[in-house]
């Protein structure tokens, strides 16, 4: 029977619940006990998941390295930790260990139009239809991500601009954007639609404090760069 006056986690303020706190403030805002509680998910009849997590951590002097030495059987000694929860905890610890041993991802860097061409060319050079792609860069001009914005032409330039700016803003650390599309016809000269998109995108990005580094048009083994042509 639940103790009188004892609050369950779902009765706490939203910003104090581990999952909600993570969404609101980021994963780094959570304590070790709160992170462990997310893995445990639920406690027992006497303890919340956080209290159970605190009990486990207290037994190992709050040292996560010691927790990594636990076996499934060891974890199952705690009331409320079954086999499935024990496996989840050990799997998470193993992922953390492997992450620490992994080599950092080498991100592509865009410092000139040639870099932008090499970034988009494998995606666009052999297509028989037109596609528009955007790459989102941090302050060091490292590519954080790239995504397809449209396929089959760019008649809806306003929609395209919104689709580029929205993920750039959501990325938070995005400092600049590079866009690229292809001309299957083999003619690299920009169209009026290309010019319109570039102007609208530059204006929208500037309002958001983001730089449009370049817009390149790829056709076979060559390309056109708005930056190189002094049009940005």
């Amino acid at each position: 029977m639940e103790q009188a006056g004892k609050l369950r986690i779902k009765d706490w303020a939203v910003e104090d619940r581990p999952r909600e706190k993570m969404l609101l403030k980021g994963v780094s805002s959570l304590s070790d006990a709160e992170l462990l509680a997310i893995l445990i998910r639920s406690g027992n009849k006497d303890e919340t998941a956080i209290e159970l997590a605190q009990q486990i951590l207290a037994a190992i002097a709050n040292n996560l390295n010691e927790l990594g030495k636990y076996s499934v059987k060891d974890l199952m000694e705690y009331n409320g930790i079954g086999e499935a929860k024990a496996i989840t905890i050990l799997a998470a610890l193993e992922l953390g260990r492997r992450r620490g041993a992994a080599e950092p991802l080498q991100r592509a860097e865009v410092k000139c139009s040639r870099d932008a061409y090499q970034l988009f060319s494998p995606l666009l050079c052999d297509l028989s239809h037109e596609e528009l792609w955007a790459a989102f860069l941090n302050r060091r001009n490292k590519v954080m991500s790239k995504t397809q914005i449209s396929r089959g032409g760019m008649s809806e330039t306003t929609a395209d601009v919104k689709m580029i700016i929205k993920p750039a803003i959501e990325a938070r650390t995005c400092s600049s954007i590079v866009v690229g599309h292809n001309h299957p016809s083999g003619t690299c000269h920009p169209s009026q639609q290309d010019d319109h998109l570039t102007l609208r995108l530059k204006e929208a990005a500037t309002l958001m404090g983001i730089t449009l580094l370049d817009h390149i048009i790829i056709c076979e083994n060559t390309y056109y760069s708005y930056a190189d042509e002094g049009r940005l």
Side-chain angles (χ1 to χ4, degrees), residues 16-57:
D16 291 332
R17 302 174 201 166
R19 292 177 191 146
E20 288 79 357
K21 182 178 177 181
M22 178 178 169
L23 292 173
L24 288 170
K25 301 180 180 180
V27 68
S28 62
S29 69
L30 271 61
S31 66
D32 290 347
E34 289 171 327
L35 290 169
L36 186 55
I38 288 177
L39 297 174
I40 293 173
R41 299 186 66 180
S42 61
N44 54 50
K45 64 183 180 66
D46 297 316
E47 299 168 303
T48 65
I50 288 183
E51 290 170 333
L52 180 53
Q54 290 171 335
Q55 181 192 158
I56 295 171
L57 292 172

Side-chain angles (χ1 to χ4, degrees), residues 59-71:
I60 55 171
N62 295 295
N63 189 318
L64 292 178
N65 288 321
E66 292 302 311
L67 182 58
K69 297 176 184 178
Y70 269 23
S71 66

Side-chain angles (χ1 to χ4, degrees), residues 46-159:
D46 297 316
E47 299 168 303
T48 65
I50 288 183
E51 290 170 333
L52 180 53
Q54 290 171 335
Q55 181 192 158
I56 295 171
L57 292 172
I60 55 171
N62 295 295
N63 189 318
L64 292 178
N65 288 321
E66 292 302 311
L67 182 58
K69 297 176 184 178
Y70 269 23
S71 66
V72 169
K73 185 177 179 181
D74 292 332
L75 287 169
M76 289 177 64
E77 293 293 323
Y78 292 91
N79 183 21
I81 302 294
E83 185 178 68
K85 290 181 181 180
I87 289 172
T88 297
I89 293 169
L90 294 183
L93 290 168
E94 177 62 15
L95 275 176
R97 186 192 67 77
R98 294 186 187 187
R99 181 191 176 196
E103 292 292 329
L105 179 67
Q106 295 298 314
R107 296 185 182 276
E109 189 173 12
V110 178
K111 290 186 174 180
C112 62
S113 63
R114 187 69 185 177
D115 293 338
Y117 169 74
Q118 291 176 341
L119 180 68
F120 292 123
S121 181
L123 301 169
L124 300 171
C125 66
D126 295 325
L127 297 181
S128 58
H129 61 274
E130 196 169 309
E131 289 186 3
L132 172 67
W133 283 72
F136 307 101
L137 286 61
N138 62 21
R139 294 185 181 278
R140 296 183 179 181
N141 285 5
K142 298 285 188 178
V143 177
M144 298 183 297
S145 64
K146 59 181 180 289
T147 187
Q148 183 188 89
I149 303 300
S150 63
R151 185 178 189 274
M154 293 184 294
S155 59
E156 299 295 332
T157 56
T158 301

